[in-house]
Amino acid sequence: MAWMAGTAMTREERLDRFMARANMIYYATHDPFADFTTSPEISQVFGEVIGIWAAVAWQMLGSPDPVLLAEAGPGRGTLMADALRAVGRAAPGFAAALRVHLIETSPRLRTAQAARVPGAAWHDSLDSVPEAPMILLANEFLDALPIRQFVRRGDGWTERFVADGAWIEQPADAAEVPPGRDAAEGQIVELNEPARAFAAALAGRLQRHPGAALLVDYGPARSAAGDSLQALARRKPIDPLSAAGSADLTAHVDFADIAQTARSAGAAVQGPVTQGAFLSALGVFRRTEALARGRTPPQAAAVRDGTHRLTGPAAMGDLFKVLAITSPGCGALPGFAVG
C-alpha cells in the first residue's frame, strides 16, 4: 500500500485514539446488533453451557460465598441471562452465592441488560468492580479495544495514523513494536495496549482472590504479522476509516500476547483452545439435542444450525478461541488441558 509521511499541515490521530473515539460514538448512538451478531444471540446453548462452566469453576476454587459473577462487554445481557437460568436449574449453591456485576459504558446497552438481568451492578471498568473472589466472562470484548499498528519499512518501523479518512505514517520507536512477529517489508504488526492492561489487572486480582476469567474472542492462537482491523455496518464490511462512529471497529485478538501478559503479571493461563473444541467438551451437542426434542422439525433444525455455527470449523468453531486466566494453582478447568 502506498504511504506518505505526515506533515505539520495534516490533522493526524493515532489509530488507537481514532478507534477508541469511533467506538465510543458508535456504541452511544447505534444498536450494534443491527450490524452484527454474537454467539449468545445465535443460540441459548452458548450461555447455558458457559453458565455451567462457571459453576464448576466456582466449585474448583473452593466454592467462595459470596462470589462475583462478572461480565465484560455484556451486549444485551443475553449470555448472562442464559447462564443464570442454567445455573438456577443445575447449581443452586452457586446461584445463591453469586453476585452479578456487568462492565458496560453504553447507557443504551445498560438499559437492555437491566431488562434481562435485573439486580445486576454496573461498572464503567474493571477498576470499580469490588475486590472479592470472582469469575469473569468476556465474550467478544477484547476485539473492540483500540489497537496500534506498526509497519515494517526497511530496517525500521512507522506507525499508522488517521488523517481526514486516509492513512498517514510517522516514524516509530522500534522498542514499542511487539517482538517475534517476523514482519516483512510493508507488513503490519498490531499492539493492543488496553487488552494487555485488562489482562494484567485481571492477573493482579486473581492473585489476591481466588477466581478465573474466561475470554472468548476471534483471533490467532499464535502471534503473527498482519492487518486485522475491520469495520461492520448493516452486517457488511466497510472502510474502517469511514466517519468515526459510523461502524463497529474491531481487530483480531492476539491470544499469545494476552496469555504472556497474564503470566508475567503472576496469574496462571489455560488455553487457548478453539471455540468448537471448548463447547464440544462442555457438552454443547448433548444440550442442543435436549433442546431440540419436542420441537417442530423446522424449530429443531434451527437449534442444531445455531450450534453448528458456533462449533463448525468453517463457521466460528476454529476462528474463535477460548482462554482462561486463573488464580495460581487452579486445576484444569472444563474444556482445557493444563497449559
Side-chain angles (χ1 to χ4, degrees):
M1 178 183 293
W3 68 284
M4 58 180 178
T7 69
M9 300 297 293
T10 305
R11 211 179 84 199
E12 303 166 5
E13 190 172 24
R14 204 170 73 183
L15 172 58
D16 58 333
R17 293 165 186 162
F18 171 81
M19 186 174 175
R21 181 169 62 88
N23 279 348
M24 181 180 66
I25 297 169
Y26 174 80
Y27 280 97
T29 58
H30 288 71
D31 173 10
F33 296 96
D35 294 326
F36 60 83
T37 192
T38 61
S39 295
E41 304 293 334
I42 290 172
S43 173
Q44 71 183 67
V45 299
F46 183 82
E48 289 175 348
V49 298
I50 285 182
I52 300 306
W53 178 92
V56 174
W58 172 71
Q59 292 172 341
M60 293 179 62
L61 292 164
S63 302
D65 186 359
V67 62
L68 308 186
L69 180 59
E71 185 177 0
R76 291 193 286 208
T78 304
L79 187 158
M80 183 61 75
D82 290 340
L84 291 174
R85 185 178 60 254
V87 165
R89 290 195 308 258
F94 180 46
L98 67 83
R99 308 291 184 267
V100 178
H101 290 258
L102 303 177
I103 301 171
E104 178 61 67
T105 59
S106 166
R108 179 187 295 261
L109 290 176
R110 283 191 179 192
T111 299
Q113 293 155 14
R116 290 174 173 80
V117 193
W122 278 267
H123 306 271
D124 287 337
S125 71
L126 181 63
D127 293 342
S128 63
V129 176
E131 288 273 346
M134 178 179 69
I135 295 173
L136 180 136
L137 311 174
N139 178 65
E140 292 196 54
F141 169 71
L142 298 176
D143 63 90
L145 299 180
I147 62 166
R148 298 171 67 182
Q149 287 188 333
F150 301 92
V151 187
R152 167 66 78 179
R153 298 294 181 191
D155 294 332
W157 295 89
T158 62
E159 182 166 6
R160 284 180 128 185
F161 286 67
V162 179
D164 301 321
W167 291 115
I168 296 288
E169 293 180 23
Q170 291 283 17
D173 181 352
E176 293 190 283
V177 182
R181 305 302 192 267
D182 297 326
E185 172 65 28
Q187 280 193 304
I188 288 171
V189 167
E190 296 177 341
L191 170 63
N192 193 325
E193 292 174 321
R196 282 183 170 181
F198 185 76
L202 274 176
R205 283 174 173 262
L206 296 174
Q207 289 183 84
R208 295 189 295 272
H209 307 280
L214 189 73
L215 311 179
V216 186
D217 229 307
Y218 56 92
R222 296 181 177 85
S223 301
D227 179 5
S228 72
L229 181 67
Q230 60 184 355
L232 286 177
R234 295 171 296 280
R235 301 185 184 271
K236 294 182 179 179
I238 67 169
D239 181 0
L241 301 190
S242 299
S246 61
D248 175 50
L249 297 184
T250 65
H252 285 193
V253 174
D254 186 339
F255 281 93
D257 192 67
I258 297 300
Q260 181 57 46
T261 298
R263 287 192 186 99
S264 296
V269 172
Q270 299 182 32
V273 298
T274 66
Q275 177 172 285
F278 179 76
L279 294 177
S280 297
L282 296 188
V284 71
F285 296 109
R286 190 164 54 251
R287 174 56 185 153
T288 297
E289 290 308 309
L291 197 61
R293 280 197 298 270
R295 301 202 175 196
T296 66
Q299 290 171 337
V303 170
R304 295 184 180 108
D305 179 67
T307 296
H308 175 73
R309 288 179 64 186
L310 296 175
T311 60
M316 302 170 73
D318 281 357
L319 175 61
F320 279 68
K321 309 297 189 303
V322 186
L323 180 77
I325 302 174
T326 75
S327 299
C330 179
L333 294 164
F336 296 98
V338 176

